[in-house]
């Protein structure tokens, strides 16, 4: 608990330094620190995204074979599972990706600590049209929802039959959450989502160049 408190206190101190001592203002301080944290974790998040994209690409190529297995073994779930697992093993796919799970767990305390620091940060700093970053703001909540939708829209290999649902549901949830939390938290979500969107677009170009196939 003491270590966690020290982490959130450090983040709050950095925000205070950027905002007051460096005279960036509360909003720019949040954007800068979010960018620094995302940049520091870029090697990890890039590796995780690369693994996920490659896995999705392999599964997309295997879909005809998986469909055939489902049709042939429709009345025998056990045989269907065995054939599916064998196909996965042949192409180096694991049902549970422990490395990706561990990588995600590493990020959680870092960003959750920043989220907590933003929630507990007081003051009445303004940013652009926002008079008080400690209070929710409807236009900013809309921007947060749009940024979330944009990040989801560029995700590779999204199934077409649920594509719209996978874009709208996170955006709606983000909008509702942004109306209940401070504008500072919403600004953090916007910055982080835009960073993630740019990373995904760059990753798609890299994978397309390497594989020669579209990842849209």
């Amino acid at each position: 608990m003491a270590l966690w408190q020290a982490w959130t206190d450090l983040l709050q101190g950095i925000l205070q330094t950027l905002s007051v001592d460096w005279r960036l203002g509360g909003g720019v301080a949040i954007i800068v620190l979010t960018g620094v944290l995302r940049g520091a974790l870029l090697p990890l998040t890039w590796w995780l995204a690369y693994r996920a994209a490659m896995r999705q690409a392999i599964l997309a190529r295997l879909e005809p074979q998986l469909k055939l297995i489902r049709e042939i073994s429709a009345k025998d779930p056990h045989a269907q599972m065995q054939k599916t697992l064998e196909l996965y093993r042949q192409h180096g796919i694991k049902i549970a990706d422990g490395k990706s799970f561990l990588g995600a767990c590493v990020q959680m305390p870092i960003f959750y600590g920043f989220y907590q620091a933003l929630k507990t940060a007081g003051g009445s700093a303004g940013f652009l049209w926002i008079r008080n970053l400690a209070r929710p703001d409807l236009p900013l909540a809309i921007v947060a929802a749009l940024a979330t939708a944009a990040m989801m829209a560029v995700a590779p290999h999204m199934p077409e039959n649920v594509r719209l649902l996978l874009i709208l549901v996170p955006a709606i949830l983000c909008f509702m959450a942004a109306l209940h939390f401070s504008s500072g938290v919403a600004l953090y979500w916007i910055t982080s989502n835009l960073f993630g969107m740019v990373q995904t677009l760059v990753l798609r170009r890299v994978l397309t160049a390497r594989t020669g196939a579209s990842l849209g």
Side-chain angles (χ1 to χ4, degrees):
M1 184 62 70
L3 184 61
W4 179 255
Q5 187 62 47
W7 170 238
T8 56
D9 288 345
L10 173 63
L11 292 173
Q12 288 180 341
I14 294 174
L15 283 173
Q16 181 73 10
T17 299
L18 292 173
S19 176
V20 178
D21 297 345
W22 289 18
R23 299 182 180 180
L24 297 181
V28 176
I30 292 171
I31 293 173
V32 169
L33 187 52
T34 302
V36 168
L37 289 176
R38 289 299 304 257
L41 287 172
L42 184 58
L44 175 62
T45 58
W46 179 273
W47 177 73
L48 292 174
Y50 183 88
R51 283 174 61 89
M54 291 303 296
R55 176 186 173 88
Q56 291 174 344
I58 294 173
L59 289 175
R61 292 199 302 268
L62 294 180
E63 182 54 34
Q65 298 179 60
L66 292 171
K67 182 179 179 181
L68 182 60
I69 290 174
R70 289 193 294 268
E71 292 175 351
I72 294 176
S73 307
K75 296 182 180 180
D76 191 345
H78 180 73
Q80 182 180 137
M81 177 60 69
Q82 291 298 321
K83 292 178 182 178
T84 300
L85 290 176
E86 179 61 29
L87 184 63
Y88 282 3
R89 279 194 293 268
Q90 291 174 4
H91 292 82
I93 298 178
K94 296 181 179 179
I95 297 296
D97 190 352
K99 292 181 179 179
S100 294
F101 177 75
L102 181 61
C105 289
V106 170
Q107 299 178 69
M108 288 179 61
I110 296 175
F111 287 114
Y112 186 66
F114 189 27
Y115 165 75
Q116 287 290 93
L118 289 173
K119 278 184 61 179
T120 56
S124 57
F127 179 66
L128 298 178
W129 69 87
I130 306 165
R131 294 184 178 181
N132 189 349
L133 283 169
R135 299 177 60 85
D137 180 79
L138 176 59
L140 193 68
I142 295 174
V143 175
L146 292 175
T148 301
M151 183 185 68
M152 296 302 300
V154 300
H157 295 300
M158 188 180 295
E160 289 300 327
N161 58 331
V162 292
R163 181 180 181 84
L164 184 60
L165 189 65
L166 292 176
I167 293 174
L168 289 180
V169 170
I172 293 171
L173 291 176
C174 179
F175 173 74
M176 295 174 63
L179 289 178
H180 289 83
F181 293 110
S182 69
S183 294
V185 173
L187 189 58
Y188 154 67
W189 287 338
I190 292 169
T191 307
S192 185
N193 286 339
L194 291 177
F195 191 104
M197 182 184 70
V198 172
Q199 176 179 300
T200 300
L201 290 172
V202 174
L203 179 63
R204 288 178 63 170
R205 291 181 64 90
V206 170
L207 290 175
T208 300
R210 291 183 179 179
T211 63
S214 174
L215 296 175

